[in-house]
Amino acid sequence: MNTTPTATTPANAAGRPVRLGLRENRLQFTLLVVVNVCVGGLVGLERTTVPLVGSTTFGLTSDLAVFSFIIAFGLTKALTNLAAGALTARFRRKHLLVTGWLIGTPVPFALAWAPSWGWIVAANVLLGLNQGLTWSMTVNMKIDLVGPGRRGLATGLNEAAGYTAVGVTALLTGYLATSYGLRPVPELIGVVFVVAGLALSLVVRDTAAHVALELAHHTTPLPTGENTGLKAAFARTSWYDRSLRGASQAGLINNLNDGLTWGVFPLLFTDHGLGLAAVGLIKGLYPILWGLGQIPTGHLADRIGRKPLIVHGMLVQAAGFVLALALLDRPLLAGILSAVALGLGTAMVYPALIASISDHAHPAWRANALGTYRFWRDTGYAAGALVAGALADRLGLNATVVAAAVLTAASGLLAARWITEHRPGTH
């Protein structure tokens, strides 16, 4: 499993020799996987119940107003992702991970007992900060540990842990809401995630020494005078490098889909007669398949390349939206089949996109490139909520689903045109 020389290197802060590889760092890697289960579980609290809390508990009549919590979450998480890359130049990854958990501590309590919708929106600002720091650090730290040859598998396992937890929590909150109401019981399971995530983050070791080791063995030195700062990495990742640009736009549209379905699907399927348990099943199945599917697709991305999975995954997602509308006279079947296609399509795309960004970025500016990519990707949450709210208020919920299908197919075609394969470890 090791991809770089494994001879003993200068010891890390704990006095242990530093090696790259999944097997060599299995304990720390496993701890970070469990941490990301807690990260995903916290955001999974909102997938089934919060849109319905807005429309029923607080009486919001505008879909855009209901989706405002997703906009707040998406914008905050996107900006935090961007800042996280720069922050790693000043602070250790472990310290940022712990800080993210401290910021997220009030979230389950605010969701459970918020006296007004404004409190829900404010809780999502905190949730965005929490997710931006904790999820960014877990993925960066896993990439640091395994080295260049197992990036696809590492990101697949990281995202699998997080999004499986999102799905299981969404499913669980749907069933709890059926028995106990929309609040406060479903939201309070988030306390478990906060306590466990913070405790494990205090135990896990920092990965700065692993980054230093990879830099020492990198096949091509950083070009003399190359700017590794956030501003340069942002421009390179967002536009100047075709492959990085292609991956960034695909990430944005992928999470636009997630943000759109987050707000639209609970309202769409309850309008067609489904109860909370059935909606919870649909909302849970999507991220569960998204999560579990990333274990084989992450490994596959290391074997066949990133581009085939990215392009075909976006087209499978587009087909999922088509299924949701084509079968809407049988809403449970429509929801399940759509969730399956969306989940599997996203599983194909997610680890391949992160691995593709890592392939094209030198380790010296990789954290900033990943932060930029995650900025654009999670801006998709806000974009999805804005598109969904505007179209739903004017043209109805069905129009938002059509728009998502068209945008997703177009994104897949752009990815096919822009992204090129790049063997890990070469620049």
Side-chain angles (χ1 to χ4, degrees):
M1 306 285 291
N2 205 46
T3 58
T4 58
T6 57
T8 301
T9 63
N12 63 13
R16 299 177 178 87
V18 177
R19 295 184 175 91
L20 302 182
L22 182 55
R23 183 181 293 111
E24 291 77 5
N25 296 284
R26 57 188 177 275
L27 177 58
Q28 292 302 307
F29 193 95
T30 302
L31 285 174
L32 287 166
V33 168
V34 179
V35 170
N36 216 43
V37 168
C38 299
V39 176
L42 189 61
V43 74
L45 291 176
E46 300 196 326
R47 290 300 174 116
T48 301
T49 59
V50 174
L52 299 172
V53 168
S55 60
T56 60
T57 304
F58 293 112
L60 300 179
T61 57
S62 165
D63 290 320
L64 187 58
V66 172
F67 301 158
S68 60
F69 80 98
I70 306 172
I71 298 171
F73 168 80
L75 289 177
T76 305
K77 184 169 187 271
L79 290 169
T80 306
N81 287 337
L82 185 61
L87 288 171
T88 57
R90 300 185 60 186
F91 303 99
R92 291 189 177 272
R93 285 151 163 70
K94 176 177 177 175
H95 297 160
L96 295 172
L97 181 63
V98 171
T99 300
W101 280 115
L102 293 174
I103 292 171
T105 300
V107 170
F109 303 101
L111 296 177
W113 288 298
S116 68
W117 185 247
W119 281 70
I120 299 288
V121 175
N124 274 272
V125 172
L126 295 180
L127 183 62
L129 290 167
N130 160 267
Q131 295 287 302
L133 288 175
T134 56
W135 210 310
S136 291
M137 292 309 108
T138 58
V139 72
N140 275 308
M141 292 170 83
K142 286 188 183 73
I143 289 173
D144 296 341
L145 290 172
V146 303
R150 288 291 181 266
R151 285 175 185 149
L153 179 59
T155 54
L157 289 169
N158 185 76
E159 304 303 286
Y163 283 100
T164 300
V166 171
V168 171
T169 306
L171 184 62
L172 179 59
T173 55
Y175 281 102
L176 288 174
T178 300
S179 301
Y180 300 102
L182 291 172
R183 298 194 303 167
V185 174
E187 290 77 16
L188 289 179
I189 60 175
V191 177
V192 176
F193 297 127
V194 169
V195 171
L198 179 58
L200 290 171
S201 297
L202 291 169
V203 172
V204 74
R205 292 198 298 270
D206 193 68
T207 57
H210 295 81
V211 177
L213 178 59
E214 184 182 348
L215 276 168
H217 290 290
H218 203 259
T219 55
T220 303
L222 183 69
T224 303
E226 181 166 291
N227 191 337
T228 62
L230 175 59
K231 183 177 179 180
F234 184 89
R236 196 178 295 129
T237 306
S238 301
W239 186 253
Y240 290 117
D241 186 295
R242 282 169 57 93
S243 289
L244 294 176
R245 179 174 76 223
S248 294
Q249 66 82 25
L252 187 151
I253 297 300
N254 183 88
N255 277 24
L256 178 145
N257 294 344
D258 190 25
L260 185 144
T261 60
W262 187 350
V264 168
F265 274 21
L267 302 180
L268 177 68
F269 290 114
T270 54
D271 284 351
H272 284 78
L274 296 187
L276 283 172
V279 171
L281 173 63
I282 294 167
K283 289 302 298 171
L285 188 59
Y286 171 18
I288 287 173
L289 290 173
W290 172 353
L292 292 176
Q294 290 180 85
I295 299 175
T297 61
H299 180 65
L300 193 60
D302 289 330
R303 296 180 67 86
I304 70 169
R306 324 307 191 189
K307 184 174 178 176
L309 290 168
I310 294 168
V311 174
H312 291 96
M314 297 304 290
L315 297 178
V316 170
Q317 288 181 61
F321 287 113
V322 174
L323 287 171
L325 289 185
L327 301 172
L328 201 52
D329 57 335
R330 301 171 66 183
L332 183 58
L333 178 64
I336 289 174
L337 291 180
S338 178
V340 168
L342 286 166
L344 293 178
T346 308
M348 294 167 68
V349 165
Y350 233 65
L353 284 170
I354 298 177
S356 180
I357 294 289
S358 298
D359 291 345
H360 288 81
H362 192 282
W365 51 274
R366 185 176 63 211
N368 280 330
L370 284 168
T372 300
Y373 162 72
R374 289 168 62 83
F375 166 79
W376 289 118
R377 190 191 69 186
D378 289 337
T379 297
Y381 283 121
L386 284 168
V387 168
L391 287 177
D393 283 339
R394 287 177 173 270
L395 302 174
L397 294 171
N398 288 16
T400 67
V401 179
V402 173
V406 173
L407 286 171
T408 306
S411 176
L413 296 177
L414 278 178
R417 180 175 177 83
W418 285 344
I419 296 175
T420 58
E421 294 292 2
H422 198 309
R423 182 163 56 174
T426 62
H427 287 273

